[in-house]
Amino acid sequence: YQRRVHGNPITGKKISKGEAQSYTEHPLRQGDVIGCSYLQERVEFFLNGASLGVAFTGPTNKLQPAVSLNLAEVRVNCGQFPFAFPPALPSFLQSVTPETILLPVYLFSDPPANFSQSDKPVHKRWQLDSEVPACRIAELCTVLEKIEKGLPIKDGWPAATRAQYAELVFVCERTANQVRPVVKPGKVGPHLNFERITAAEKHLMTLPPDQLTPLYEALKRVNHLFGRSLTLFDFNKIQPRSITQFVLQYRDLMFTSRKILWMRNMVKITDSGASVGQVELNRKRAARHAHNPRDQGRRSLFAQLMRAFNATQIRNLRGCDRVCSVSLRGEGATDAGGPYREVLSHVMHEVQTTNLPIMIKCPNGANGKGQNGECVILKPSANSPWCLQLCEFLGMMIGISVRTQGLFDLYFPSIFWKQLCNQPLDKSDLSAIDLAVSKFLQALKKETKDMDDERFRDEFDLKWSCELSDGSTVDLIPNGRNVYVAVADVAKYCDAVLEARLNESRVQMQAVLRGFGKIVPAHLMSVFTWREMERVVCGIRDIDVELFKSRTSYSGCSESDPHIQIFWDVMRGFTPELRILFLHFVWGQSRWDAVCTKQNFTINNYSCGDPDNRFPIGHTCGFSVDMPRYTNLASARQKITYAITECQTIDADGWTGDDVISVGGGDQDE
């Protein structure tokens, strides 16, 4: 602070609990500059760049430095002008590239033409080296730098490696409080329940048991610093050697639940409060043309919904509740939530089949080798305007999932999710989709070290081209399919193949990201790891019965009733596939996650005669089930299994026979 003092010099004072103490013997004169450092749990003042000592220590969130305007003219510089005596930054920050900080960070990428002026958020910009929030970032980076070096982040706390902190985050998430796994505002992270840590986990953990609690406190401190700093970073412009890039290297140290809470708050800021209204869809028409290759998915439910959504303003798709209600042509279902969820599940299932021309089974699945055999990837040759339109709508649907907390049953590998959350791709992503090529490239480098060109050409006969996942061929250099690879260029060839395969669907992925950025502030997803991004969109594939039970309420019955205990015994005995079918039976979708889902499950009392011969009744609109009072486990398992396997369609008997529909200006069926 710069003081212009009129009259006698003023001596600094500090007041603690109402008692004034002399802080400095140096009198303050006109033109003196007082600096305040608010960092590392301490408040320190400076006179013309020289430290006056620490004024206070303790949690900085409870301390607020102040200036008294008593018989003096004071000019306060909060960063709008360069500091006369810039504060010393941590060693890492002194070497990074200066970057602009954005607050708040909720801009959309590539806003469409109908992005109204009222939707554009107002934001302020500061330079890192000239603004007050920089001290928060400096403190966070200082702590992260200590973690990287394996040093304790605070005196008296144990030291741990970066990997051990990440391991503790994983354990914390697994043992989070079951009743309310999503942290509330003001809470730092999930509750660490040592009783739920299994013996196998304790054996695998590298952390000594006596260090778990203090390291958990250190981890909470790290998450607290993350939480109050995230809105200061411009994730839309991540420059090399920038602070944002540095911080994102430690995204795995943040609790998933805290990231989700922060992301939801940012998404809520851009909630338009609007919806599309009612959308009419024809499932019979889609089924009739499902396997027609000439149709190219134009009559699919996916395309019907795309035309309906494209016919409305984009702001109508930015609500945080469901974006539309569904009317199924020729069916008798009334949409109070269940038909909407079932249609979205059907739509996202369609995109993963050959009904639409934009996805193919990954090579590992096609060859029956390696992991992710069930996964599909974007088709590299799907670059027609129609295919790119479908890819863009896929991105919009994923954005709607993030906004509305609706979970989709998607089977995409890491190469897809990493690009959605701006993570760099590496050779492990190629192994995850094409293990054969990955192993070939590794073997090629080893086996050709001592070969001459003649032997190399006889054994491998390689040219500067490679085959992509869909069988199409691309040149790695100009006219590469006619140029042989020399043994001296094997390393360059392997790198070129890796680069080509990792980016084989870049055009399609750019369309997905374009659609995703129309619905949510896409760059905010950079705080997630790819596994967390998959969880936000898809939830967890299997259902933790005990966690599901903790998020269940009862109407007309109680948890202690015999038939309710029988029901939970049935759920525990189900295979993961049957538990998914049960979820679809009562909710209309196949994924559930306690962290990513806000709605609880309800079991209603079903009073009826001869309950052992009655079936349960699922209510997908209310995420509930009417459960008969079964008297034995065998009857309950038989009836519940039959219901969830044979009754998967909402009101399938309600067909009216009227098949003609036009959605969003699309073609009518014949």
Side-chain angles (χ1 to χ4, degrees):
Y1 306 95
Q2 186 172 4
R3 283 176 173 262
R4 291 190 178 93
V5 181
H6 301 283
N8 297 326
I10 300 174
T11 301
K13 300 284 186 180
K14 63 178 180 180
I15 300 176
S16 179
K17 298 181 179 178
E19 180 181 352
Q21 302 175 7
S22 177
Y23 177 57
T24 174
E25 300 301 328
H26 301 281
L28 306 179
R29 303 182 182 279
Q30 182 174 353
D32 283 346
V33 177
I34 298 296
C36 177
S37 171
Y38 190 47
L39 184 64
Q40 291 293 324
E41 298 190 345
R42 67 184 184 184
V43 176
E44 182 178 4
F45 289 94
F46 297 80
L47 174 60
N48 298 325
S51 174
L52 299 176
V54 177
F56 297 98
T57 59
T60 51
N61 61 338
K62 298 181 181 179
L63 296 176
Q64 295 294 336
V67 58
S68 174
L69 307 180
N70 183 20
L71 300 177
E73 179 184 343
V74 179
R75 188 179 70 189
V76 180
N77 178 10
C78 291
Q80 66 269 41
F81 304 107
F83 288 126
F85 302 93
L89 296 176
S91 59
F92 178 81
L93 297 186
Q94 294 173 7
S95 64
V96 300
T97 305
E99 64 177 299
T100 299
I101 296 174
L102 187 65
L103 177 68
V105 192
Y106 50 89
L107 291 177
F108 289 93
S109 60
D110 299 325
N114 57 350
F115 195 92
S116 66
Q117 185 69 28
S118 61
D119 288 335
K120 295 181 180 178
V122 179
H123 57 274
K124 301 179 181 179
R125 289 183 181 272
W126 294 279
Q127 289 297 319
L128 171 64
D129 57 356
S130 62
E131 54 95 9
V132 169
C135 64
R136 295 184 180 181
I137 299 174
E139 185 172 5
L140 172 63
C141 291
T142 300
V143 168
L144 295 179
E145 197 173 13
K146 289 182 177 180
I147 291 175
E148 187 66 31
K149 295 178 179 178
L151 302 174
I153 67 172
K154 183 180 178 182
D155 293 341
W157 286 7
T161 65
R162 157 81 179 278
Q164 288 175 325
Y165 274 106
E167 179 184 50
L168 187 57
V169 171
F170 176 76
V171 173
C172 289
E173 295 294 347
R174 281 183 58 87
T175 62
N177 186 297
Q178 290 191 2
V179 178
R180 294 189 179 276
V182 179
V183 294
K184 297 179 180 179
K187 298 293 183 181
V188 172
H191 173 63
L192 182 58
N193 186 347
F194 293 101
E195 296 178 357
R196 294 199 70 227
I197 301 178
T198 64
E201 284 177 331
K202 290 180 180 178
H203 176 71
L204 292 174
M205 289 179 66
T206 59
L207 290 168
D210 60 335
Q211 291 189 10
L212 281 176
T213 299
L215 281 179
Y216 175 62
E217 295 302 319
L219 191 58
K220 288 201 299 184
R221 177 61 183 165
V222 173
N223 275 263
H224 170 73
L225 295 175
F226 265 121
R228 69 176 193 165
S229 303
L230 281 178
T231 53
L232 302 176
F233 295 105
D234 185 359
F235 294 111
N236 202 31
K237 297 179 180 179
I238 303 176
Q239 303 294 336
R241 295 183 63 249
S242 66
I243 298 172
T244 303
Q245 184 190 55
F246 170 70
V247 170
L248 286 180
Q249 294 175 6
Y250 299 87
R251 66 186 109 195
D252 58 336
L253 300 187
M254 274 195 74
F255 295 126
T256 303
S257 50
R258 186 173 183 86
K259 293 181 190 178
I260 291 175
L261 179 66
W262 174 79
M263 180 268 295
R264 286 178 182 170
N265 289 337
M266 293 296 100
V267 167
K268 189 176 181 180
I269 293 174
T270 58
D271 181 9
S272 66
S275 67
V276 177
Q278 189 175 80
V279 174
E280 189 177 56
L281 303 172
N282 191 327
R283 291 203 289 190
K284 283 190 68 176
R285 179 193 186 201
R288 188 162 57 247
H289 295 276
H291 303 291
N292 181 2
R294 293 182 300 176
D295 184 66
Q296 292 282 294
R298 285 180 169 81
R299 293 177 176 84
S300 64
L301 278 184
F302 189 88
Q304 292 180 40
L305 194 63
M306 179 182 71
R307 286 190 285 267
F309 283 4
N310 287 345
T312 187
Q313 292 185 353
I314 195 69
R315 69 182 308 274
N316 292 335
L317 303 176
R318 295 196 189 124
C320 289
D321 293 322
R322 59 181 180 139
V323 295
C324 69
S325 61
V326 172
S327 172
L328 298 174
R329 188 72 174 270
E331 301 183 56
T334 300
D335 186 12
Y340 168 79
R341 284 190 292 269
E342 177 166 318
V343 163
L344 293 193
S345 295
H346 188 115
V347 162
M348 300 312 286
H349 171 73
E350 274 186 332
V351 79
Q352 300 174 86
T353 67
T354 55
N355 296 355
L356 294 177
I358 61 173
M359 288 283 184
I360 57 172
K361 186 174 278 291
C362 75
N364 281 351
N367 301 329
K369 297 180 180 180
Q371 57 183 329
N372 298 319
E374 74 284 4
C375 287
V376 295
I377 58 175
L378 290 167
K379 188 176 181 180
S381 58
N383 49 19
S384 68
W386 170 248
C387 290
L388 295 182
Q389 187 180 2
L390 294 174
C391 290
E392 183 171 323
F393 186 64
L394 172 61
M396 292 173 64
M397 291 300 298
I398 294 175
I400 289 171
S401 168
V402 172
R403 271 201 171 277
T404 63
Q405 301 176 39
L407 304 178
F408 294 150
D409 192 20
L410 300 178
Y411 291 87
F412 297 158
S414 59
I415 196 170
F416 181 91
W417 299 113
K418 280 187 176 182
Q419 294 178 84
L420 207 61
C421 60
N422 199 24
Q423 274 191 260
L425 303 177
D426 54 49
K427 58 185 179 182
S428 66
D429 300 303
L430 177 59
S431 300
I433 62 171
D434 198 336
L435 183 62
V437 169
S438 180
K439 285 187 173 181
F440 171 75
L441 295 178
Q442 294 176 18
L444 185 63
K445 290 181 179 180
K446 293 180 180 179
E447 296 177 7
T448 58
K449 287 184 178 179
D450 301 323
M451 284 188 180
D452 54 29
D453 283 331
E454 183 177 356
R455 181 186 170 193
F456 172 72
R457 183 168 175 178
D458 289 341
E459 290 192 18
F460 293 98
D461 193 33
L462 294 176
K463 296 181 179 180
W464 284 94
S465 62
C466 75
E467 186 177 289
L468 305 182
S469 296
D470 61 352
S472 58
T473 301
V474 295
D475 290 334
L476 302 177
I477 61 174
N479 195 31
R481 65 194 70 191
N482 296 317
V483 180
Y484 285 97
V485 178
V487 68
D489 296 328
V490 166
K492 293 181 180 179
Y493 169 79
C494 292
D495 292 341
V497 171
L498 177 63
E499 181 73 14
R501 292 301 306 276
L502 292 179
N503 295 281
E504 63 183 5
S505 301
R506 171 172 289 183
V507 174
Q508 295 75 23
M509 196 65 208
Q510 286 176 342
V512 171
L513 292 172
R514 190 162 54 248
F516 186 65
K518 289 181 179 180
I519 306 300
V520 295
H523 51 278
L524 297 185
M525 304 303 129
S526 297
V527 301
F528 293 103
T529 65
W530 74 266
R531 294 185 185 278
E532 291 170 333
M533 190 72 244
E534 181 184 24
R535 182 176 179 180
V536 168
V537 177
C538 304
I540 298 176
R541 294 184 183 181
D542 193 13
I543 299 174
D544 185 328
V545 176
E546 299 307 317
L547 192 55
F548 191 59
K549 182 179 178 182
S550 70
R551 294 286 297 272
T552 299
S553 58
Y554 303 90
S555 177
C557 54
S558 68
E559 183 181 345
S560 60
D561 289 350
H563 73 290
I564 298 298
Q565 296 182 28
I566 289 174
F567 164 73
W568 290 118
D569 287 340
V570 170
M571 288 292 290
R572 293 186 189 97
F574 273 167
T575 62
E577 292 75 19
L578 286 176
R579 284 196 286 266
I580 289 174
L581 288 177
F582 176 82
L583 186 64
H584 192 275
F585 176 72
V586 299
W587 204 19
Q589 64 184 37
S590 303
R591 296 288 184 99
W592 180 85
D593 191 312
V595 173
C596 303
T597 305
K598 58 186 176 181
Q599 190 171 357
N600 287 344
F601 174 55
T602 302
I603 299 178
N604 304 313
N605 182 46
Y606 182 14
S607 298
C608 57
D610 195 12
D612 288 336
N613 286 317
R614 298 283 184 172
F615 295 103
I617 302 174
H619 300 280
T620 57
C621 295
F623 192 18
S624 63
V625 66
D626 298 344
M627 189 61 59
R629 291 183 171 270
Y630 296 114
T631 61
N632 61 82
L633 183 63
S635 297
R637 181 180 177 86
Q638 180 188 22
K639 298 302 181 184
I640 295 174
T641 302
Y642 184 88
I644 64 177
T645 55
E646 301 298 330
C647 306
Q648 281 293 307
T649 303
I650 296 178
D651 198 4
D653 297 327
W655 297 106
T656 64
D658 191 357
D659 301 337
V660 180
I661 184 174
S662 177
V663 180
D667 297 333
Q668 287 191 342
D669 200 359
E670 59 272 6

